[in-house]
Amino acid sequence: MLDRYVFAFLLLLSSSLTIIHASPGDADPRYRDCIRQCQETGCVGPKCFPHCTFSSDGELVGRPWYMQEPLYLQWKKWGCQSDCRYHCMLDREKENKLLNLGPVKYHGKWPFKRIYGIQEPASVAFSVLNLAMHFHGWVSFFILVYYKLPLKDEKKAYYEYASLWHIYAFLSLNSWFWSAVFHSRDVDLTEKLDYSSVVVLLGYSLILAILRSFNVRDEATRVMVSAPLIAFVITHVMYINFYKLDYGWNMTVCVVIAVAQLTIWAVWAGVSRHPSCWKLWLVVIAGGLAMLLEIYDFPPYEGLFDAHAIWHAITIPLTYIWWSFIRDDAKFRTAKFLKKDK
């Protein structure tokens, strides 16, 4: 959970230099010449791309490449520009290695090795594992609340926040799904879907933090608290999708929501007498330490494992601990209600 919130805050710090300064890789004249020659000839050295064959008027020869193969094979394929950039990047990195120079970023990204057409394999794998961990946590929570803990006469759970956590689980699964898709293929659509899902999850998690920490159980009060935040999130998502994807503004929104949410959870963990608040502290502290990976960015080891991918890996056990806390909270609140009934 907190991994997505921490990411919003650290993204502002870690990527600000990327936003302000051009990446050294794509500013390299040799790299630019390679791109130009590739788009003119359809080749990078001995490797040629059929979908980069142009006519004299600059149009692609024949039908578009994505219409020439079955749909199940299309996900492996890239456009002419992407293939030219990728293979020119590999050539330049080989030259840099021979000169004992370290990797540099191209178009704001480290040079990753593709595996089966996947742009950032490690980040994709860890995003999928985070998704699986959230699914496991939600299923175990569902079984606990509706099959192991006592229920009311109308077969409803005593735990009054159960429905809210179900929604949270769905939004988390959605967010990690689009994270995996975005790291698989970084295009305008997948970028917007990933950013939008993160904003929605952040906004809802802030609502959930407020409702749980202040123990808001009345439905009318919940609506009054949630409505302004929901309206703002919807407006922001529409803005970045249909008007302008302003990276700076989007980061500011995410940072404000994330800091507010983290502050609420941290204060609540400190003042409450919850028997499992140590798990919440563990997630907050470990997530804070993991943030250093986003600040002290480093190139991918063997073209696969960069700081961001390792950070995704660390959030996997933190997700397990977080859902363990949620289950403990359900047990704690249910026992409290049953004690009052007696």
Side-chain angles (χ1 to χ4, degrees):
M1 172 185 178
L2 298 178
D3 54 305
R4 307 298 280 177
Y5 316 141
V6 172
F7 171 68
F9 176 73
L10 290 172
L11 189 61
L12 180 62
L13 299 176
S14 63
S15 64
S16 58
L17 293 177
T18 300
I19 296 173
I20 297 174
H21 304 287
S23 299
D26 49 272
D28 186 348
R30 293 186 180 181
Y31 172 78
R32 290 179 175 273
D33 288 340
C34 178
I35 296 293
R36 179 180 54 78
Q37 292 176 8
C38 177
Q39 292 182 337
E40 290 177 355
T41 65
C43 299
V44 176
K47 190 173 184 62
C48 297
F49 317 108
H51 49 278
C52 280
T53 303
F54 292 85
S55 63
S56 58
D57 59 359
E59 297 295 330
L60 281 169
V61 175
R63 299 174 65 197
W65 64 271
Y66 53 81
M67 297 177 62
Q68 297 176 4
E69 292 193 352
L71 183 62
Y72 70 91
L73 291 177
Q74 292 179 18
W75 71 275
K76 290 185 179 181
K77 299 298 182 181
W78 290 74
C80 177
Q81 183 185 60
S82 298
D83 273 338
C84 288
R85 285 182 176 182
Y86 176 70
H87 289 281
C88 286
M89 175 192 71
L90 292 184
D91 281 1
R92 289 297 299 131
E93 286 302 303
K94 288 178 182 178
E95 294 175 6
N96 289 341
K97 190 173 183 179
L98 292 175
L99 297 174
N100 293 322
L101 299 175
V104 295
K105 288 188 176 182
Y106 297 81
H107 306 283
K109 289 183 175 291
W110 288 112
F112 290 94
K113 292 181 180 178
R114 295 181 188 172
I115 297 180
Y116 294 105
I118 297 176
Q119 186 172 347
E120 299 176 38
S123 292
V124 172
F126 294 139
S127 293
V128 171
L129 288 175
N130 273 284
L131 186 152
M133 192 60 67
H134 274 287
F135 182 75
H136 172 271
W138 172 62
V139 170
S140 60
F141 171 75
F142 185 90
I143 293 174
L144 171 70
V145 170
Y146 295 103
Y147 292 94
K148 293 184 178 180
L149 294 178
L151 297 174
K152 297 179 181 179
D153 294 336
E154 57 271 25
K155 301 300 180 181
K156 291 185 178 180
Y158 279 97
Y159 186 49
E160 63 273 52
Y161 302 100
S163 59
L164 298 178
W165 286 117
H166 294 325
I167 298 173
Y168 165 77
F170 172 78
L171 295 178
S172 297
L173 294 174
N174 175 73
S175 180
W176 281 111
F177 171 79
W178 289 117
S179 173
V181 173
F182 173 64
H183 287 300
S184 297
R185 186 69 62 85
D186 181 1
V187 296
D188 182 66
L189 177 62
T190 58
E191 181 181 52
K192 288 182 178 179
L193 287 169
D194 181 50
Y195 280 32
S196 299
S197 64
V198 171
V199 172
V200 171
L201 178 59
L202 284 170
Y204 179 78
S205 297
L206 175 58
I207 294 173
L208 187 52
I210 295 172
L211 298 182
R212 178 62 190 95
S213 60
F214 289 95
N215 197 24
V216 179
R217 289 176 285 176
D218 179 68
E219 291 298 329
T221 307
R222 286 183 175 184
V223 172
M224 292 177 63
V225 171
S226 304
L229 291 172
I230 292 174
F232 176 78
V233 169
I234 293 175
T235 303
H236 178 70
V237 169
M238 293 180 66
Y239 176 82
I240 63 176
N241 278 276
F242 302 110
Y243 181 70
K244 180 182 178 183
L245 181 51
D246 188 328
Y247 295 97
W249 169 244
N250 185 64
M251 286 184 200
T252 301
V253 169
C254 290
V255 167
V256 172
I257 296 176
V259 170
Q261 182 271 147
L262 284 173
T263 302
I264 291 172
W265 280 120
V267 172
W268 182 77
V271 301
S272 69
R273 296 183 179 181
H274 198 287
S276 297
C277 65
W278 66 271
K279 294 182 180 180
L280 180 57
W281 275 116
L282 179 60
V283 173
V284 171
I285 294 173
L289 294 176
M291 291 190 314
L292 297 177
L293 290 171
E294 289 295 306
I295 297 176
Y296 299 104
D297 192 17
F298 55 83
Y301 176 74
E302 296 296 330
L304 297 173
F305 302 97
D306 68 327
H308 188 72
I310 296 175
W311 174 65
H312 274 340
I314 293 176
T315 60
I316 296 172
L318 295 183
T319 299
Y320 178 84
I321 296 172
W322 175 246
W323 275 104
S324 176
F325 165 77
I326 296 172
R327 291 193 298 270
D328 289 348
D329 188 48
K331 295 176 185 177
F332 173 70
R333 295 294 300 175
T334 300
K336 199 170 184 179
F337 272 109
L338 292 175
K339 186 177 181 179
K340 286 183 178 180
D341 289 342
K342 293 180 181 180

